[in-house]
């Protein structure tokens, strides 16, 4: 295994990861003393002068994305649910269950990552991310309560108990986070950060595509509206980690080979689960398109953190689902793209547009 060493890596892999004190009167909050990890923050949220100004712009954008699930109309979905094929209904329930797991585990894990962050502007973004992940769980509950018949609702939450592929999937995803909890070193922290990036950047999207695909056939439009809004939130989390991972690569011991291994096993697990729950039984999705899309996403996420694409064939350089763009509303990029790196956004926008299709 190749360890990437540079002068800027300060910590050895077995060093225990430090958790910030609640209040540190001896800390130094000056910009020049600030760093994302291993800084000496007082733990006051001193945001007048920030070192990472991109985080202020990102936070503002995340706040402007504010939305309330119950304001989105699911009336047609209640009827449509019974017009789905049995395979489509099974996939609908299973994907809902899987996404509930993802946002549950995020709600649980983000505080652990955040507790070692020493730049308050980054903590700000993670606090908002945590709030959004929790709210995503509430939106799944809203869908389950509204669309799923009462006698099937518990089964959605308990899907992993009876579906061994989903259970394996959940254990794989949670395992990287648990490693850090069990043994909180600089090495396991970096792995947990990368696992978060994989979750935000790779694991949601075959599920989103399933709902956009139904919407393209005039089915379950309310569900698609909710997922495109969650999609927009998740892309802001992807952007946060696209900033954090390259910074982390400067200070944490890590192995580039290990990063590629994690990406490849993440792709395999994602394809295995999607083929299990969607497979070739849903019009518009095949095991081939799932593989192409997942590898395309992995390539894009690698490039975004400064690494080479893992899957070199031309077919993995483009999305097989560009025809679904209009259902994700991701063509509406201007707002996000224009303001992303600026901290001066003052308008309040309640928009359902999802920006950044190119990055999905
Ligand atoms: Fe989420
Ligand atoms: Fe997220």
């Amino acid at each position: 295994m190749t360890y990437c060493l540079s002068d800027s890596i300060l910590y050895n892999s077995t060093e225990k990861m430090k958790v910030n004190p609640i209040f540190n009167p001896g800390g130094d909050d000056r910009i020049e003393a600030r760093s994302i990890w291993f800084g000496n923050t007082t733990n006051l949220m001193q945001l007048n002068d920030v070192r990472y100004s991109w985080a202020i712009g990102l936070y503002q954008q995340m706040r402007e994305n504010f939305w309330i699930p119950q304001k989105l109309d699911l009336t047609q979905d209640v009827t449509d649910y019974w017009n789905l094929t049995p395979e489509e209904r099974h996939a609908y329930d299973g994907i809902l269950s899987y996404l509930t797991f993802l946002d549950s585990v995020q709600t649980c894990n983000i505080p652990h990552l955040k507790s070692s962050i020493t730049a308050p502007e980054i903590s700000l973004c993670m606090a908002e991310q945590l709030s959004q992940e929790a709210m995503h769980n509430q939106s799944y509950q809203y869908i389950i309560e509204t669309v799923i018949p009462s006698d099937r609702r518990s089964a959605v939450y308990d899907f992993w108990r009876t579906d061994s592929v989903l259970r394996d999937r959940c254990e794989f995803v949670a395992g990287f986070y648990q490693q850090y909890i069990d043994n909180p070193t600089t090495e396991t922290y970096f792995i947990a950060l990368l696992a978060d990036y994989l979750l935000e950047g790779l694991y949601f999207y075959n599920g989103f595509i399933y709902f956009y695909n139904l919407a393209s056939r005039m089915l379950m439009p309310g569900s698609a509206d909710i997922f495109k809004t969650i999609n927009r939130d998740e892309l802001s989390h992807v952007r946060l980690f696209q900033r954090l991972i390259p910074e982390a690569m400067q200070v944490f011991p890590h192995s580039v080979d290990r990063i590629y291994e994690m990406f490849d096993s993440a792709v395999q697990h994602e394809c295995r689960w999607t083929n299990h729950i969607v497979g070739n039984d849903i019009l518009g999705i095949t095991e081939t398109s799932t593989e192409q899309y997942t590898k395309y996403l992995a390539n894009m996420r690698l490039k975004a953190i400064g690494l080479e694409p893992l899957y070199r064939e031309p077919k993995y350089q483009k999305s097989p689902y560009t025809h679904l763009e209009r259902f994700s509303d991701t063509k509406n990029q201007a707002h996000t793209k224009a303001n992303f790196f600026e901290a001066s956004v003052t308008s309040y926008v309640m928009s359902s547009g999802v920006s950044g299709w190119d990055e999905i």
Side-chain angles (χ1 to χ4, degrees):
M1 194 169 278
T2 319
Y3 274 84
C4 181
L5 296 172
S6 77
D7 294 342
S8 56
I9 290 179
L10 304 173
Y11 305 91
N12 71 53
S13 60
T14 55
E15 186 165 334
K16 201 163 165 48
M17 198 64 196
K18 194 167 161 251
V19 170
N20 292 336
I22 300 297
F23 177 45
N24 174 26
D28 183 350
D29 292 329
R30 289 172 305 138
I31 295 180
E32 53 271 31
R34 226 172 252 204
S35 59
I36 299 178
W37 302 275
F38 312 111
N40 183 27
T41 176
T42 63
N43 235 2
L44 253 75
M45 300 285 278
Q46 211 286 48
L47 299 169
N48 274 350
D49 301 307
V50 297
R51 177 164 175 189
Y52 306 96
S53 56
W54 58 265
I56 298 298
L58 178 58
Y59 175 71
Q60 190 71 29
Q61 186 204 322
M62 290 166 91
R63 291 292 297 155
E64 291 199 7
N65 284 350
F66 177 81
W67 61 287
I68 295 170
Q70 289 82 356
K71 290 199 171 178
L72 295 168
D73 184 10
L74 288 169
T75 312
Q76 190 185 323
D77 300 49
V78 177
T79 315
D80 283 352
Y81 187 77
W82 294 108
N83 291 326
L84 300 179
T85 66
E87 291 80 11
E88 286 169 343
R89 258 197 305 279
H90 181 72
Y92 187 93
D93 293 1
I95 292 170
L96 208 46
S97 182
Y98 172 53
L99 296 179
T100 300
F101 168 79
L102 292 182
D103 273 297
S104 299
V105 84
Q106 287 301 84
T107 307
C108 182
N109 187 58
I110 290 160
H112 293 294
L113 297 178
K114 180 177 170 294
S115 66
S116 295
I117 297 285
T118 52
E121 55 272 39
I122 309 294
S123 292
L124 195 68
C125 291
M126 284 192 156
E128 185 58 25
Q129 181 192 3
L130 177 61
S131 165
Q132 291 185 349
E133 309 294 24
M135 186 269 284
H136 295 165
N137 286 302
Q138 192 203 17
S139 71
Y140 302 140
Q141 186 274 333
Y142 169 56
I143 294 175
I144 290 168
E145 183 182 87
T146 311
V147 176
I148 308 284
S150 56
D151 61 338
R152 289 170 71 117
R153 285 175 199 158
S154 296
V156 173
Y157 283 111
D158 289 339
F159 210 96
W160 61 272
R161 292 184 192 276
T162 52
D163 188 302
S164 63
V165 176
L166 180 57
R167 188 183 177 119
D168 286 352
R169 184 89 189 92
C170 295
E171 287 180 345
F172 173 78
V173 173
F176 291 113
Y177 293 160
Q178 191 63 44
Q179 270 180 37
Y180 174 66
I181 305 303
D182 294 342
N183 181 26
T185 65
T186 53
E187 183 176 30
T188 55
Y189 185 91
F190 182 84
I191 298 284
L193 270 185
L194 193 66
D196 192 305
Y197 181 48
L198 287 168
L199 191 156
E200 305 284 359
L202 215 59
Y203 296 162
F204 282 101
Y205 301 88
N206 282 294
F208 292 153
I209 285 295
Y210 173 77
F211 294 105
Y212 301 149
N213 185 61
L214 289 185
S216 77
R217 293 191 278 123
M218 313 288 283
L219 291 164
M220 315 301 281
S223 301
D225 278 346
I226 288 180
F227 283 106
K228 74 184 179 187
T229 319
I230 294 174
N231 193 156
R232 183 186 58 187
D233 291 346
E234 296 308 341
L235 286 176
S236 69
H237 309 167
V238 170
R239 290 187 183 107
L240 173 60
F241 280 79
Q242 280 174 352
R243 285 292 187 146
L244 292 182
I245 301 287
E247 295 274 355
M249 287 163 79
Q250 298 298 312
V251 293
F252 286 90
H254 68 280
S255 152
V256 172
D257 289 349
R258 180 80 199 277
I259 293 174
Y260 282 121
E261 278 170 23
M262 280 182 67
F263 264 83
D264 196 37
S265 65
V267 165
Q268 287 172 30
H269 277 261
E270 179 63 14
C271 288
R272 180 169 175 247
W273 159 247
T274 306
N275 291 342
H276 170 68
I277 198 68
V278 177
N280 294 310
D281 296 328
I282 310 296
L283 191 63
I285 301 174
T286 64
E287 295 192 1
T288 303
S289 64
T290 294
E291 182 195 8
Q292 187 184 341
Y293 184 55
T294 310
K295 290 183 174 176
Y296 155 76
L297 280 177
N299 280 344
M300 197 165 48
R301 300 305 183 222
L302 281 163
K303 278 189 268 184
I305 57 170
L307 295 178
E308 292 295 314
L310 191 54
Y311 308 102
R312 298 305 181 109
E313 290 177 58
K315 64 181 175 182
Y316 301 133
Q317 313 311 317
K318 59 180 188 293
S319 167
Y321 297 128
T322 49
H323 59 287
L324 296 176
E325 280 178 21
R326 64 197 170 100
F327 296 97
S328 71
D329 202 15
T330 49
K331 281 292 186 187
N332 178 21
Q333 295 187 20
H335 178 72
T336 301
K337 288 277 169 76
N339 294 306
F340 179 50
F341 293 112
E342 297 170 10
S344 58
V345 184
T346 52
S347 62
Y348 175 83
V349 181
M350 179 80 178
S351 160
S352 62
V354 179
S355 300
W357 174 267
D358 290 346
E359 296 168 29
I360 296 175

